[in-house]
Each structure stands twice: as structure tokens, then as C-alpha cells.
């Protein structure tokens, strides 16, 4: 009897260790981008497959016009967005590429649990309107995206060769500022999935020479 209990405890401890090892391996698993970790959404992910709401190895969804990108598994936003206009009169077009992927949850209209293989648990839950992470469809109150870098004919922007953490995203052959310029969707080490610290506004100063 005692042996049996000890055996059970040993197996239990080994299981815990295996789980801890799996979590150590993953940057994303204990972040808000593991949709199952946030009890508020009630999202169920089979086997805690953290990648599944966004990626699938097979039968991915076309992101735009039959084109595929990062083997995407989530529903794509069908909203029309209002875009910020800068003082120089520059304005991004409708979100494209990876920014469109972010807005396929952060628009507050597309269900976060609308992903391939989730028919059984689908409850059509969107990011609540009162949460700051719900950007909505009016992006006129957000830092511009879909905008060229460096902006043509403007001074006050650092050469991209000096970037240490932020990045330009190439869309239609142009270097642009997109959500992924400032954010890194899988890594929450700095908080807010940021690429660079906000200490002394370091993130901003990588681009803006102010
Ligand atoms: C909440 C959604 C989300 C989850 C969850 C997620 N990803 Fe991603 N992933 C994205 C988006 C959006 C992009 C494209 C934007 C970018 O690269 O910044 C991407 C890009 C990628 C890429 C290509 C670009 C790169 O960064 O290398 C790989 C590989 C990738 N993901 C792997 C994974 C794996 C493996 C997991 C699970 C451990 C995972 N992702 C979980 C949203 C997600
Ligand atoms: C599959 C849905 C989904 C996709 C795709 C997605 N997110 Fe999120 N994201 C969420 C949810 C859900 C939260 C938690 C929101 C909350 O707690 O209010 C979140 C939280 C965040 C946060 C706040 C983190 C924090 O610590 O509070 C940031 C920043 C963020 N996401 C950026 C992005 C960016 C940038 C992309 C694209 C590269 C992206 N997300 C793609 C669902 C998604
Ligand atoms: C120029 C840099 C930059 C760009 C581009 C950018 N963000 Fe952010 N974002 C930030 C910073 C900085 C914060 C943290 C603000 C804070 O801590 O108050 C943030 C915060 C967020 C949050 C969390 C809001 C909250 O307060 O909980 C979400 C969600 C988010 N961003 C999504 C996006 C999405 C989606 C895009 C593209 C449509 C995007 N961001 C484009 C810099 C950027
Ligand atoms: C990846 C580069 C990049 C980063 C990082 C970045 N910006 Fe920008 N920012 C730009 C570009 C490009 C524009 C658009 C300029 C244009 O085309 O007129 C812009 C526009 C702006 C504008 C509006 C200017 C106008 O004419 O209306 C402000 C203000 C601003 N950024 C502040 C910030 C702040 C604050 C941060 C940090 C939270 C930040 N930016 C981070 C590249 C960046």
C-alpha cells in the first residue's frame, strides 16, 4: 500500500515536472495570447494547443484574395476601419498583412474563439468594449499603421539601420510601420508584447529623432 502511494506520488511529481518543462519552453504560454489562460473569455483549446487559435499545420485560411500567410487559422476581420491622418497628410490604407491579423481579434467585432477546429466549443466571444485592448474600428485615435518608413520628404526619423528592436514590415514592396513594428505577438517579456522598453520612451525614440 505504502509502495503504491509512493509510486503514485512519483508519477504525479514527474507529470508536474514535464508540465513545467513544457511551459519553460514556450514564451507565449503564460501570456494573454494563450486564449485559454484568461478565464474571462471561457475559451477552450483542445490539449492547451496554444498556437491553434492563430495557426494550423493544415487547411489554413486564406488571409486575402486566396493568398496565404503564416498558415493562419483564425477568422479574418471583415470590418472597414477609419485611419489616422498625419500632419503631413499621410494616411494608411485599409489594414493589410499582419496588422489585419491582429485586428482579427482586436477590432472587438471578430470573435476571438472563431478558429479552425473549434466548432464544438464556439461561443462567439469578442473582446469586451470596455477593455483598452478593444481598439474598435476607428483607428484615428491610434498611432498610424500602414504608413511608409521613413516617411517621404520628412525629417526627424532615424535610419532603419539603427533600429535595435523595432522593425519595419514590408508590405507590397514598401517598408512600413505596422502593428508588428512595435509589438511581438509571441513574447510578452517586456509587457504589452512590446519589442522595446517604454523606459524613457526608448521604443518611440528608435524611430523618432526627438
Ligand atoms: C494570438 C495569435 C497567435 C498565437 C497564439 C501564435 N501566433 Fe504565431 N503569429 C501570429 C501572427 C499575427 C504572426 C504574424 C505577425 C508577425 O510575425 O509578427 C505570427 C507569425 C508566426 C511565425 C512566422 C514569423 C515568426 O515570428 O517567426 C511563426 C513561425 C509562428 N507565428 C509560430 C507560432 C507558434 C509555434 C505558436 C504557438 C507556440 C504561435 N505562433 C502562436 C499570431 C499568433
Ligand atoms: C486570436 C485573437 C488575437 C490575435 C490574432 C491577436 N491578439 Fe492580442 N490579445 C488577444 C486577447 C484576447 C488579449 C487579452 C485582452 C484583454 O485582456 O483585454 C490580447 C492582448 C494583447 C495585448 C495586451 C497585452 C497585455 O499585457 O495586456 C497586446 C499589446 C496585443 N494583444 C497585441 C496584439 C498584436 C500586435 C497582434 C498582432 C501581431 C495581436 N495582438 C493578435 C487576442 C488576440
Ligand atoms: C508605434 C508603436 C505601436 C504601433 C504601431 C502599435 N502599437 Fe499597440 N501599443 C504600443 C505601446 C507603446 C503600447 C503600450 C501602451 C501603454 O502601456 O500604455 C501599446 C498597447 C497596445 C495594446 C494594449 C492596450 C491596453 O492598454 O491594454 C494593444 C491591444 C495593442 N497595442 C494592439 C496594437 C495593434 C492591434 C496595433 C496595430 C493595429 C498596434 N497595437 C500598433 C505601441 C504601438
Ligand atoms: C517603427 C517606427 C516608429 C515607432 C517605433 C514610433 N513611431 Fe511614431 N510615427 C512613425 C511614422 C512613420 C509616423 C508617420 C509620419 C508621417 O507619415 O507623417 C509616425 C507618426 C507619429 C505621430 C503623429 C505625427 C503627425 O504628423 O500626426 C506621433 C505624435 C508619433 N508618431 C509619436 C510616437 C510615439 C509617442 C511613439 C512611441 C509610443 C512612436 N511614435 C513610435 C514611426 C514610428
Amino acid at each position: 500500500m505504502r509502495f503504491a502511494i509512493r509510486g503514485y506520488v512519483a508519477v504525479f511529481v514527474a507529470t508536474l515536472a514535464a508540465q513545467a518543462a513544457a511551459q519553460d519552453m514556450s514564451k507565449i504560454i503564460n501570456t494573454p495570447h494563450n486564449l485559454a489562460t484568461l478565464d474571462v473569455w471561457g475559451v477552450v483549446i483542445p490539449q492547451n494547443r496554444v498556437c491553434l487559435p492563430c495557426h494550423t499545420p493544415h487547411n489554413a485560411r486564406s488571409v486575402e484574395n486566396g493568398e496565404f500567410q503564416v498558415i493562419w487559422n483564425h477568422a479574418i476581420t471583415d470590418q472597414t476601419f477609419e485611419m489616422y491622418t498625419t500632419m503631413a497628410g499621410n494616411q494608411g490604407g485599409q489594414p493589410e498583412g499582419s496588422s489585419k491579423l491582429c485586428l482579427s481579434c482586436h477590432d472587438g467585432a471578430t470573435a476571438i474563439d472563431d478558429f479552425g477546429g473549434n466548432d464544438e466549443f464556439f461561443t462567439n466571444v469578442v473582446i469586451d468594449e470596455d477593455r483598452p485592448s478593444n481598439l474598435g474600428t476607428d483607428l484615428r485615435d491610434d498611432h498610424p499603421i500602414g504608413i511608409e518608413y521613413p516617411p517621404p520628404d520628412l525629417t526627424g526619423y532615424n535610419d532603419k539601420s539603427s533600429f535595435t528592436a523595432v522593425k519595419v514590415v514590408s508590405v507590397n514592396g514598401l517598408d512600413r510601420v505596422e502593428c508588428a513594428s512595435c509589438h511581438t505577438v509571441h513574447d510578452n517579456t517586456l509587457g504589452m508584447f512590446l519589442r522595446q522598453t517604454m523606459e524613457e520612451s526608448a521604443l518611440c525614440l528608435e524611430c523618432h529623432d526627438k
Side-chain angles (χ1 to χ4, degrees), residues 81 83 91-96 145-147 176:
F81 295 86
M83 308 303 289
Q91 191 188 46
Q94 286 299 304
E96 293 178 284
I145 57 153
I147 206 130
R176 299 207 318 210

Side-chain angles (χ1 to χ4, degrees), residues 69-195:
Q69 203 180 329
V70 295
I71 45 172
W72 193 245
N73 193 35
H74 196 271
I76 311 282
T77 180
D78 60 4
Q79 303 293 306
T80 303
F81 295 86
E82 289 180 80
M83 308 303 289
Y84 181 88
T85 307
T86 72
M87 287 173 73
N90 295 328
Q91 191 188 46
Q94 286 299 304
E96 293 178 284
S98 58
S99 294
K100 193 168 182 181
L101 302 183
C102 309
L103 290 163
S104 296
C105 288
H106 289 285
D107 64 357
T110 313
I112 59 173
D113 61 345
D114 189 353
F115 55 88
N118 194 39
D119 297 348
E120 194 186 338
F121 299 113
F122 180 67
T123 58
N124 202 11
V125 57
V126 296
I127 297 182
D128 299 343
E129 208 171 343
D130 56 1
R131 293 178 89 88
S133 56
N134 179 334
L135 301 187
T137 57
D138 187 348
L139 303 181
R140 288 175 306 173
D141 56 359
D142 298 291
H143 190 285
I145 57 153
I147 206 130
E148 228 180 301
Y149 195 91
D153 307 323
L154 291 182
T155 53
Y157 290 85
N158 294 318
D159 195 280
K160 68 175 182 192
S161 64
S162 70
F163 290 175
T164 61
V166 304
K167 63 168 197 179
V168 292
V169 177
S170 174
V171 185
N172 303 331
L174 288 176
D175 285 343
R176 299 207 318 210
V177 177
E178 300 288 353
C179 312
S181 296
C182 301
H183 293 286
T184 167
V185 65
H186 308 107
D187 186 349
N188 205 22
T189 315
L190 298 175
M192 295 288 173
F193 296 102
L194 288 175
R195 290 189 175 274

